[in-house]
Amino acid sequence: MKYLKNYFGGIYKDRYVLRSLVKQDLQMKYNRSVLGVAWQIITPLGLSIIIGLIYSIIYGVDPKGFIPILFSGLNPWVFLSGSADGGTFAYISAEGYLKQTQVNPQIFPIRVVTVNFVNLFYSMLAYFVVFLILSPSSFGLSMLMIIPGLLIIYLGGLTLANMSSAITIHLRDFQPLQSLVLQGLFYVTPIIYTTSMMDDKGFSIIYRINPFYYLINAVRSPALGNDISVATIEECLIVLAVTFVAFLISAIITMKNNHGIAMKL
């Protein structure tokens, strides 16, 4: 409990520093960029259109129905993978702050995740515009389930960033290793294909034991306008509970790792 109290207490103490850093990162990211934040929309949308058209040729799928599935899956994946990768540099890029100030280290993984979450928010807004054009009849109140879905995926991203930042302090080679693992996870997670494709081949176990599938589905399912059922709510609550526990564990590990962190950089 002491670690968790210090973790949240430090975040509250440095909340203005955190807000300033996030604002600074967003401004620097799009500084002198002609399209700016539009790149957060163009990239996943462009990939979705390209993959959707290729799949329509090879597998005969309807791109009108498949592009929203791709777009709604790529957006949360980019957030999760970006949070994990960003976590490996969270402390290293903040070396000056950590060695010259008394700021609490745990705000730096949060900084990375929050910047990525803002980008996710923009991307999902673009997704809903595209989805409204392609499938206006699918819009409904069930889409409000994306609110707890976004909370779940934010906690998931923060868990990944906390863990990767803690590991990188002791193992600088972790970043390329993590990138390799994430690349493999991308292909075994139903992002550029549907779960039914895996079910038809008898490999449904591959995604059912994959935590990334449930994190992404927490956003993707309501974004596609899927109906809310008792089973859907139960799954959402279970994923939220598991993700929250994982986040608390990562927070404890973060605080144990923070002792003398400036000397480890």
Side-chain angles (χ1 to χ4, degrees):
M1 289 299 293
K2 180 185 71 173
Y3 288 117
L4 291 177
K5 181 180 179 180
N6 292 338
Y7 179 83
F8 291 108
I11 294 171
Y12 182 78
K13 175 178 176 292
D14 292 327
R15 62 192 184 280
Y16 297 116
V17 177
L18 175 60
R19 184 173 65 182
S20 177
L21 290 172
V22 169
K23 183 179 179 180
Q24 173 186 299
D25 287 348
L26 289 170
Q27 289 175 339
M28 290 181 63
K29 183 177 178 68
Y30 303 113
N31 186 33
R32 297 185 180 180
S33 173
V34 176
L35 295 177
V37 74
W39 282 114
Q40 298 302 319
I41 300 169
I42 295 171
T43 302
L45 176 58
L47 285 173
S48 299
I49 292 174
I50 293 170
I51 297 172
L53 291 176
I54 292 174
Y55 271 46
S56 67
I57 296 172
I58 298 176
Y59 298 107
V61 299
D62 179 13
K64 183 179 178 181
F66 196 57
I67 287 174
I69 294 175
L70 288 170
F71 200 1
S72 61
L74 282 171
N75 281 341
W77 171 262
V78 169
F79 167 74
L80 289 172
S81 59
S83 297
D85 276 336
T88 60
F89 299 104
Y91 293 142
I92 296 172
S93 62
E95 183 176 356
Y97 288 99
L98 293 170
K99 289 187 174 181
Q100 299 174 24
T101 68
Q102 296 298 315
V103 68
N104 287 280
Q106 63 264 37
I107 71 168
F108 294 103
I110 300 175
R111 167 193 184 182
V112 170
V113 176
T114 303
V115 170
N116 281 309
F117 190 75
V118 172
N119 292 330
L120 171 64
F121 182 77
Y122 287 132
S123 298
M124 291 308 300
L125 286 179
Y127 162 79
F128 281 117
V129 172
V130 172
F131 192 52
L132 181 60
I133 296 172
L134 295 177
S135 186
S137 61
S138 298
F139 268 72
L141 292 176
S142 61
M143 285 184 165
L144 291 176
M145 283 295 290
I146 200 171
I147 296 174
L150 289 172
L151 172 61
I152 289 171
I153 205 167
Y154 181 82
L155 289 175
L158 190 50
T159 301
L160 292 171
N162 281 340
M163 297 300 292
S164 63
S165 61
I167 295 172
T168 304
I169 288 297
H170 303 285
L171 182 63
R172 293 299 175 92
D173 291 332
F174 180 67
Q175 194 277 329
L177 174 61
Q178 178 180 253
S179 295
L180 180 62
V181 172
L182 287 173
Q183 188 174 14
L185 284 169
F186 175 78
Y187 290 106
V188 299
T189 305
I191 299 171
I192 59 174
Y193 54 86
T194 63
T195 56
S196 61
M197 293 179 179
M198 298 294 286
D199 295 337
D200 292 342
K201 300 293 183 180
F203 290 104
S204 58
I205 186 65
I206 293 177
Y207 70 83
R208 291 191 182 279
I209 63 173
N210 182 353
F212 279 84
Y213 162 70
Y214 296 99
L215 289 173
I216 290 173
N217 200 49
V219 172
R220 172 188 257 174
S221 182
L224 290 171
N226 293 338
D227 293 334
I228 300 175
S229 63
V230 175
T232 302
I233 296 174
E234 287 180 352
E235 180 178 303
C236 180
L237 291 174
I238 292 172
V239 175
L240 176 59
V242 172
T243 306
F244 185 66
V245 170
F247 161 66
L248 292 179
I249 293 172
S250 74
I252 293 171
I253 292 173
T254 295
M255 294 310 297
K256 288 185 176 181
N257 185 68
N258 280 357
H259 181 69
I261 193 172
M263 300 298 294
K264 300 173 186 176
L265 295 171

